[in-house]
Amino acid sequence: MYVHNEVAKPLERQAYEVKIPVPWGHIAGKWWGSQDTKPVLCIHGHQDNAGTWDRLAPLLPHDISLLAVDLPGHGLSSHAPLGTTYHVLDFILTIRHIANYYGWKRFSLLGHSYGSVLSFLYSANFPEHVEKYVALDTVKSFETGPGRRLKKHGEYLDEFLKIESLDPNSKPSYTYDETVNILHKSIGNWANKESCEILTRRGTIRQNDGRYVFSRDPRLKIIISLLYTKSYVLHLAANVSCEVLNITAKQGVNFETPEEHQKFFEIIKKSAKRYEYHSVEGVHHVHLDHPERVAPIISKFLKST
């Protein structure tokens, strides 16, 4: 049985909670290291939260600051206003809001899964503003034929409206152990149960009766995003000019053929200032399950000049 604390247990490297104002509310985050130093911005995966970095952050160089944020609708961040959706461009704008708030002209990105995709898109759209980009178990944005995607858009929009119409006070509540089990079941083989418990600490809210509800916006279940064509993704890759570190998990996610990957990486190797690739044992959340397997690689990359 898991024992849940209202405040996460102190880590070897102390993390400080921050709130970044945005037009619709705030972006919550965890800051490791000096707040007088520009940090590496850490972006979590879809329906995860900033807790995904809790085990990796203490293993990275302590003279490098890290700012892990909860994307809109995730963790402790504000939900998007009713009547709006969660689109990939909204998340890109969130990264831009954060950079503008702190006055960063150039900074580095560390992303996992969907957070890696967002970091790739940001690096391609703002190439002059990104120094380094670390991708964990996903790099490129997903591709699709427009006709195939269009067939589903109407269904997705109607399902989104259905979820949005639900009474927010009618969220189901659970014991803490139940929330961990639910998350573990939904993630499947992508993370072990201990990692799911870490994500649950920041991904649930304790109610007055002692039970818990998930903090993330239920509308996030519906991904409303115009996926890019293969040609457009290759054009994006050609626009990435920063240093790129790509780490894949050997038992991680893989949605494309080797041929599709090879063409993409041939382009990004030419466009990037430097490209480095590593493959490690583990599943999709290897950075959370076994952070010691990726920490030395990331540390060396971030410290290199």
Side-chain angles (χ1 to χ4, degrees):
M1 179 176 179
Y2 290 109
V3 177
H4 177 61
N5 295 323
E6 292 309 309
V7 178
K9 294 179 180 179
L11 301 169
E12 179 187 345
R13 190 181 187 192
Q14 183 64 49
Y16 301 91
E17 289 290 334
V18 299
K19 281 188 176 181
I20 303 163
V22 288
W24 62 92
H26 71 271
I27 295 298
K30 303 182 70 170
W31 192 306
W32 285 271
S34 171
Q35 295 190 45
D36 296 325
T37 303
K38 180 174 58 179
V40 175
L41 184 61
C42 307
I43 311 295
H44 62 77
H46 182 63
Q47 296 199 62
D48 286 350
N49 55 64
T52 196
W53 310 107
D54 277 5
R55 299 190 68 205
L56 176 62
L59 302 182
L60 297 181
H62 288 201
D63 59 342
I64 294 178
S65 293
L66 306 169
L67 171 56
V69 295
D70 297 322
L71 290 171
H74 296 74
L76 305 179
S77 286
S78 299
H79 294 186
L82 292 178
T84 62
T85 64
Y86 291 98
H87 192 280
V88 62
L89 292 181
D90 296 317
F91 294 127
I92 299 299
L93 275 174
T94 297
I95 297 176
R96 197 67 180 154
H97 272 297
I98 295 168
N100 288 342
Y101 175 75
Y102 287 109
W104 301 335
K105 299 302 181 185
R106 284 173 59 79
F107 62 101
S108 297
L109 289 157
L110 167 58
H112 169 247
S113 192
Y114 190 59
S116 293
V117 174
L118 295 176
S119 299
F120 161 68
L121 293 173
Y122 192 91
S123 299
N125 282 283
F126 299 98
E128 68 277 14
H129 296 295
V130 180
E131 296 173 344
K132 297 185 179 187
Y133 155 42
V134 180
L136 287 170
D137 209 42
T138 309
V139 177
K140 59 201 294 290
S141 50
F142 305 127
E143 306 166 352
T144 187
R148 177 184 175 188
R149 186 66 177 175
L150 185 60
K151 291 180 181 178
K152 290 290 185 179
H153 262 137
E155 295 177 20
Y156 293 151
L157 291 171
D158 280 341
E159 186 63 25
F160 185 89
L161 290 175
K162 181 179 178 181
I163 294 175
E164 187 174 61
S165 68
L166 298 174
D167 181 357
N169 296 317
S170 65
K171 277 187 177 182
S173 63
Y174 311 93
T175 66
Y176 186 71
D177 283 355
E178 286 173 341
T179 63
V180 174
N181 290 331
I182 290 170
L183 181 60
H184 189 221
K185 183 177 179 180
S186 68
I187 289 180
N189 296 324
W190 285 11
N192 62 35
K193 196 168 183 179
E194 181 182 359
S195 294
C196 290
E197 194 276 330
I198 293 173
L199 291 171
T200 300
R201 295 176 196 171
R202 196 173 182 88
T204 57
I205 300 173
R206 189 177 187 273
Q207 304 296 286
N208 291 333
D209 60 1
R211 293 174 67 82
Y212 294 81
V213 298
F214 286 102
S215 62
R216 64 179 178 239
D217 192 333
R219 294 178 295 169
L220 288 167
K221 295 176 182 178
I222 308 300
I223 300 177
I224 299 176
S225 181
L226 299 175
L227 298 189
Y228 299 112
T229 63
K230 295 178 180 180
S231 175
Y232 193 72
V233 171
L234 295 181
H235 277 85
L236 289 168
N239 214 40
V240 173
S241 60
C242 63
E243 297 180 46
V244 178
L245 171 61
N246 177 21
I247 302 176
T248 62
K250 291 183 178 179
Q251 292 78 43
V253 299
N254 185 10
F255 298 109
E256 297 176 313
T257 66
E259 292 75 22
E260 289 172 322
H261 276 288
Q262 182 178 359
K263 192 169 185 180
F264 172 84
F265 289 120
E266 284 176 357
I267 292 176
I268 207 166
K269 285 176 186 178
K270 293 178 181 178
S271 65
K273 182 178 180 181
R274 177 165 69 103
Y275 176 82
E276 189 176 325
Y277 171 77
H278 296 267
S279 179
V280 299
E281 285 291 336
V283 296
H284 188 49
H285 284 72
V286 64
H287 67 291
L288 191 53
D289 287 353
H290 299 286
E292 72 283 354
R293 297 178 185 174
V294 298
I297 302 170
I298 297 173
S299 297
K300 185 178 179 181
F301 178 77
L302 292 177
K303 295 289 284 186
S304 64
T305 56

